Amino acid sequence: MSILVFTILIWLGSIIAGFLGSLTGLGGGVVIIPLLTIVFGVDIRYAIGTSLVSVIATSSGAAAAYVKEGFTNIRIGMFLEIATTVGALAGAFLVFRLSPPVIAVIFGMVLIYSAYVSSRPRKENLCLDKPDRLAALLKMNGTYPTPQGIKSYEACSVPAGFGLMFIAGAISGLLGIGSGAVKVLAMDQAMRLPFKVSTATSNFMIGVTAAASAGIYLGKGYIDPGLTMPVMLGVLLGSSIGARHLFSAQTKKLRVIFSIIIFILAVEMIYSGLKGGILK
């Protein structure tokens, strides 16, 4: 395979990954890393470094559109980024103390959980109780557009959401993904924010989280410009397209299909990790 064909194939795959990651809030890394490691045989640490740069591109492409359309809660995002950034740094330092097969197995397990979260039917689990003191103090309320007009919402259980965001950041730094599944758990289930607000705020946050750990990968030499450029350009284009379709998208069928794909990729990653050294 020539370098030109290799680059074009990675670019096309990255467009699809960015589009799906933007619509589901899970980030394109859940597709990018298996694509690079399983299909193209890239070392998983280089794949993680490349994915982190693509995650930044995803956030840049989708976040601007979400903020403009009124879905993103910047106040909540900036507060939770404190936890995700600290977690990302911890995860990035940990990755260089684990072998690639172990990282592959951990990645596969996280993908299985992501597939489960993605396939579940989403119900608006809004905060109907009185917001906790921290949410009231930081004014973590807001509005978002719906086909029926502007709706308001409140945030609940901010400390629980903050703790889950640290875990999400550690997963992001360790595996190079947006860890959207854990962020969905934190914002949808713990803080009880509307689903589209959670998705938009997650995309707003993941760029900062990824940037914190990407610097460590860059210093270790695990970000290859020749590999990163087509991935970044593809994910940026795909995420921009996905962000424009979020308001009108019926994502139920897409989520089921995406979760099946993620599950298959997870099994492949776990198998490759076990075959690559854990069981030897």
Side-chain angles (χ1 to χ4, degrees):
M1 183 185 300
S2 67
I3 295 178
L4 179 60
V5 174
F6 177 81
T7 302
I8 292 174
L9 290 176
I10 289 180
W11 178 69
L12 292 174
S14 300
I15 293 176
I16 298 172
F19 178 78
L20 295 175
S22 177
L23 280 181
T24 58
L26 296 178
V30 296
V31 177
I32 289 295
I33 293 178
L35 175 70
L36 294 177
T37 56
I38 296 174
V39 178
F40 295 103
V42 176
D43 182 272
I44 191 168
R45 288 182 176 138
Y46 282 96
I48 291 173
T50 300
S51 177
L52 285 170
V53 177
S54 75
V55 164
I56 299 172
T58 303
S59 179
S60 301
Y66 291 151
V67 171
K68 182 178 180 180
E69 293 173 5
F71 289 109
T72 304
N73 191 311
I74 298 177
R75 183 182 292 270
I76 292 177
M78 293 295 288
F79 176 74
L80 295 178
E81 277 173 357
I82 299 172
T84 59
T85 301
V86 175
L89 293 174
F93 280 113
L94 180 62
V95 74
F96 301 108
R97 290 164 174 77
L98 299 176
S99 66
V102 172
I103 297 172
V105 171
I106 295 174
F107 187 90
M109 291 179 178
V110 172
L111 282 189
I112 290 176
Y113 175 70
S114 297
Y116 167 71
V117 171
S118 181
S119 64
R120 291 177 61 191
R122 293 301 172 83
K123 298 179 181 179
E124 295 286 12
N125 187 26
L126 301 181
C127 181
L128 302 178
D129 304 324
K130 184 178 179 180
D132 59 39
R133 293 178 60 185
L134 186 57
L137 178 65
L138 298 177
K139 299 180 181 179
M140 290 187 175
N141 60 330
T143 60
Y144 70 107
T146 69
Q148 293 76 37
I150 300 296
K151 288 189 177 181
S152 59
Y153 60 89
E154 302 279 353
C156 291
S157 305
V158 175
F162 192 85
L164 288 170
M165 283 297 173
F166 175 84
I167 298 174
I171 293 173
S172 176
L174 177 63
L175 303 178
I177 60 178
S179 58
V182 181
K183 290 178 181 175
V184 165
L185 178 64
M187 288 188 278
D188 276 10
Q189 304 300 317
M191 299 177 68
R192 288 188 256 173
L193 299 176
F195 169 66
K196 288 188 176 180
V197 173
S198 300
T199 299
T201 306
S202 172
N203 275 284
F204 173 76
M205 294 169 56
I206 60 178
V208 177
T209 305
S213 50
I216 298 175
Y217 282 85
L218 180 63
K220 296 286 187 179
Y222 284 110
I223 295 181
D224 183 351
L227 184 63
T228 301
M229 185 58 69
V231 171
M232 182 181 65
L233 294 177
V235 170
L236 181 58
L237 177 59
S239 63
S240 299
I241 296 172
R244 294 191 186 99
H245 289 80
L246 177 66
F247 184 80
S248 58
Q250 299 294 324
T251 57
K252 183 177 180 180
K253 291 183 179 179
L254 176 63
R255 286 182 174 280
V256 174
I257 296 172
F258 194 38
S259 65
I260 293 173
I261 295 172
I262 293 175
F263 181 79
I264 294 172
L265 294 175
V267 172
E268 288 287 342
M269 291 295 290
I270 292 174
Y271 174 75
S272 65
L274 295 175
K275 183 180 178 181
I278 291 182
L279 295 182
K280 289 183 178 180

